[in-house]
Amino acid sequence: MKAAVWHGRRDIRIEQFPDPPPPGGDEMRIRVDWCGICGTDLEEYVNGPLYIPVDRPDELTGRKAPLVIGHELVGTVVELGPNVTEFELGDRVAPDTLLFCGECWYCTRHLVHQCRKLAILGLMTDGGCAEYVNAPARMCYRLPAAIPSETGALAEPAAVAVRAVRTGGVKLGDTVVIVGGGNIGLLCLQVALLSGAAKVYVIEPHESRRRIARSLRAEQTIDPTAVDSEEALMDLTRGAGADVVLECGGNPATMRLAPLLARPQGTVVMIGLHNEPIGVNLFPVVCREITIKGSFSHIYDVDFAEAVLLLGTGKLIAEPLITARIGVDDAVEKGFERLLHNKGEHLKILISPQNQS
Ligand SMILES: NC(=O)c1ccc[n+]([C@@H]2O[C@H](COP(=O)([O-])OP(=O)(O)OC[C@H]3O[C@@H](n4cnc5c(N)ncnc54)[C@H](O)[C@@H]3O)[C@@H](O)[C@H]2O)c1
Ligand SMILES: [Zn+2]
Ligand SMILES: [Zn+2]
């Protein structure tokens, strides 16, 4: 089959790759319709290997590079493992792509996203940027007939947003501020509004992304390159600050800013990933009794299921975030490279592994 295969940093090759083996007992083979490029995939392309095993095979999957990239996928069921009864051939599904051992302390408490052996399809084993992929049936969710397949490709980042907004405890009437209006931030904006937030502000340097935020009913957007974001938010909230701050920027500046935007006794949820120490002044956190929480990934039957449900009802919309649809042969030049160099212009780029030249 044709696939986008990660061989090393700046070395993703579009090449022939062996088909997945026949699906195991609880697995299904999925013919991939679309696979989104995620920020993590881009990081693996530019700065990897970060999660992709290179020297030793992954403990859970037994796989190491080269492997098929991509974990934001949607497709059609084409083969059922012998124990799968709840799906039929032809079902369109979005699979949650977190694989877990099922036995560790965390898994037995259903904190599967914290599994000691956590593995992700498309990072620790072959993923979705290929004609076919195998996935465990219990982690797949059927898409309602009314929604296009493309929408399902956003289920994974939407599940991140669902968990983050839940972690923040956003409730009716809240004022929320999102730091960083990228894919995750714009999904958090929508989920916060669905959770009852009265006003959601979005801080984002790119005008194109601020425009999308406003079209998705952000109360107002703030350009951090033009004004002091903290001052601007304090003005907008008449000096109060936000009930909940969702940090979706993932750089030292956004991470330092986030706690300064919360009201006394407010909550800050850290979602952005930045694997370096950053200097943060915790004085305001102490004096203003602010709670800082992390939110990581999602749990398949908790957050992912809800994300598919919200996308399926049309309450959560993916379309404004999809900025390009490309065939697999163009995955590097028109996918990864474009995201790298035209950040303001692109949000989610979807790859069709079936569309080949
Ligand atoms: N916690 C999780 O489970 C999880 C899951 C997926 C992604 N992430 C992380 O979340 C972050 C966001 O992901 P994404 O895919 O939306 O990435 P993204 O790069 O599309 O979004 C980040 C946004 O922050 C904006 N930004 C940069 N500097 C800023 C500033 N000073 N003030 C305000 N905004 C600023 C950027 O312009 C960009 O739009 C990344 O760090 C990613 O690694 C975390
Ligand atoms: Zn992702
Ligand atoms: Zn486990």
Side-chain angles (χ1 to χ4, degrees), residues 77-88:
V77 176
V78 291
E79 199 177 335
L80 301 170
N83 305 334
V84 178
T85 52
E86 65 273 35
F87 288 95
E88 287 173 16

Side-chain angles (χ1 to χ4, degrees), residues 173-188:
D174 273 356
T175 294
V176 174
V177 61
I178 314 265
V179 187
N183 283 293
I184 301 290
L186 293 169
L187 289 162
C188 281

Side-chain angles (χ1 to χ4, degrees), residues 37-40 42-43 51 71-72 156-157 160-161 163-164 178-186 202-206 209 222-225 229 247-255 257 270-274 294-298 343-344 346-348:
I37 304 178
C38 168
T40 312
L42 194 61
E43 273 295 297
Y51 304 100
H71 60 268
E72 300 184 357
E156 197 273 342
V160 171
R163 185 165 192 86
I178 314 265
V179 187
N183 283 293
I184 301 290
L186 293 169
V202 176
I203 305 176
E204 165 60 44
H206 290 294
R209 295 182 174 196
I222 297 168
D223 176 1
T225 63
S229 301
E247 197 295 310
C248 304
N251 69 54
T254 55
M255 295 173 94
L257 173 67
M270 307 301 280
I271 304 147
L273 295 166
H274 182 80
S295 182
F296 177 66
S297 198
H298 36 79
K343 191 150 192 169
H346 283 284
L347 275 159
K348 189 57 73 188

Side-chain angles (χ1 to χ4, degrees), residues 9 50 53 124 129 164 210 226 244 246 253 314:
R9 185 178 300 177
L50 303 168
M124 290 86 156
C129 206
R210 291 199 301 276
V244 180
L246 301 170

Side-chain angles (χ1 to χ4, degrees), residues 262-289:
R263 67 159 168 78
Q265 298 193 342
T267 302
V268 179
V269 184
M270 307 301 280
I271 304 147
L273 295 166
H274 182 80
N275 194 12
E276 297 279 331
I278 52 159
V280 182
N281 181 3
L282 291 175
F283 188 80
V285 173
V286 176
C287 295
R288 288 151 71 185
E289 301 184 329

Side-chain angles (χ1 to χ4, degrees), residues 141-153:
Y141 289 87
R142 217 179 257 110
L143 298 185
I147 66 162
S149 289
E150 288 102 310
T151 299

Side-chain angles (χ1 to χ4, degrees), residues 14-343:
I14 313 306
E15 60 188 11
Q16 286 298 322
F17 198 79
D19 281 0
D26 299 310
E27 284 184 335
M28 307 198 285
R29 179 178 293 194
I30 295 165
R31 191 183 65 229
V32 181
D33 293 329
W34 295 102
C35 183
I37 304 178
C38 168
T40 312
D41 303 327
L42 194 61
E43 273 295 297
E44 290 287 359
Y45 177 62
V46 182
N47 296 316
L50 303 168
Y51 304 100
I52 296 179
V54 171
D55 299 325
R56 266 179 296 133
D58 179 77
E59 214 183 334
L60 188 71
T61 67
R63 290 280 289 111
K64 63 175 184 161
L67 45 82
V68 179
I69 195 104
H71 60 268
E72 300 184 357
L73 70 120
V74 63
T76 307
V77 176
V78 291
E79 199 177 335
L80 301 170
N83 305 334
V84 178
T85 52
E86 65 273 35
F87 288 95
E88 287 173 16
L89 299 184
D91 281 347
R92 283 187 316 152
V93 294
D96 188 338
T97 45
L98 258 57
L99 305 174
F100 48 89
C101 77
E103 290 163 1
C104 71
W105 193 92
Y106 303 98
C107 282
T108 56
R109 284 153 183 86
H110 207 62
L111 296 170
V112 296
H113 65 317
Q114 301 291 341
C115 174
R116 299 297 298 271
K117 295 182 181 172
L118 183 71
I120 300 171
L121 243 83
L123 290 170
M124 290 86 156
T125 187
D126 298 311
C129 206
E131 287 176 67
Y132 300 100
V133 67
N134 285 348
R138 70 171 161 174
M139 300 185 50
C140 292
Y141 289 87
R142 217 179 257 110
L143 298 185
I147 66 162
S149 289
E150 288 102 310
T151 299
L154 272 286
E156 197 273 342
V160 171
V162 166
R163 185 165 192 86
V165 170
R166 271 214 189 102
T167 301
V170 173
K171 57 183 191 317
L172 204 60
D174 273 356
T175 294
V176 174
V177 61
I178 314 265
V179 187
N183 283 293
I184 301 290
L186 293 169
L187 289 162
C188 281
L189 154 69
Q190 297 186 65
V191 178
L193 286 167
L194 289 169
S195 305
K199 293 180 179 179
V200 183
Y201 299 101
V202 176
I203 305 176
E204 165 60 44
H206 290 294
E207 167 54 19
S208 56
R209 295 182 174 196
R210 291 199 301 276
R211 202 178 318 121
I212 296 173
R214 290 190 295 272
S215 78
L216 293 170
R217 297 194 299 121
E219 184 71 14
Q220 206 148 326
T221 55
I222 297 168
D223 176 1
T225 63
V227 296
D228 180 294
S229 301
E230 184 187 354
E231 263 176 34
L233 185 85
M234 288 306 158
D235 284 349
L236 288 166
T237 57
R238 288 193 264 152
D243 297 292
V244 180
V245 182
L246 301 170
E247 197 295 310
C248 304
N251 69 54
T254 55
M255 295 173 94
R256 278 187 216 115
L257 173 67
L260 305 176
L261 304 174
R263 67 159 168 78
Q265 298 193 342
T267 302
V268 179
V269 184
M270 307 301 280
I271 304 147
L273 295 166
H274 182 80
N275 194 12
E276 297 279 331
I278 52 159
V280 182
N281 181 3
L282 291 175
F283 188 80
V285 173
V286 176
C287 295
R288 288 151 71 185
E289 301 184 329
I290 287 162
T291 302
I292 300 183
K293 296 175 165 186
S295 182
F296 177 66
S297 198
H298 36 79
I299 298 178
Y300 66 98
D301 56 351
V302 181
D303 315 295
F304 195 91
E306 197 139 306
V308 174
L309 204 60
L310 291 171
L311 288 165
T313 57
K315 291 194 164 78
L316 181 56
I317 45 180
E319 193 54 40
L321 276 64
I322 302 172
T323 51
R325 294 162 173 83
I326 59 175
V328 66
D329 293 306
D330 294 327
V332 177
E333 286 75 22
K334 295 190 179 162
F336 288 89
E337 286 291 327
R338 238 189 191 170
L339 279 178
L340 199 57
H341 299 295
N342 307 323
K343 191 150 192 169

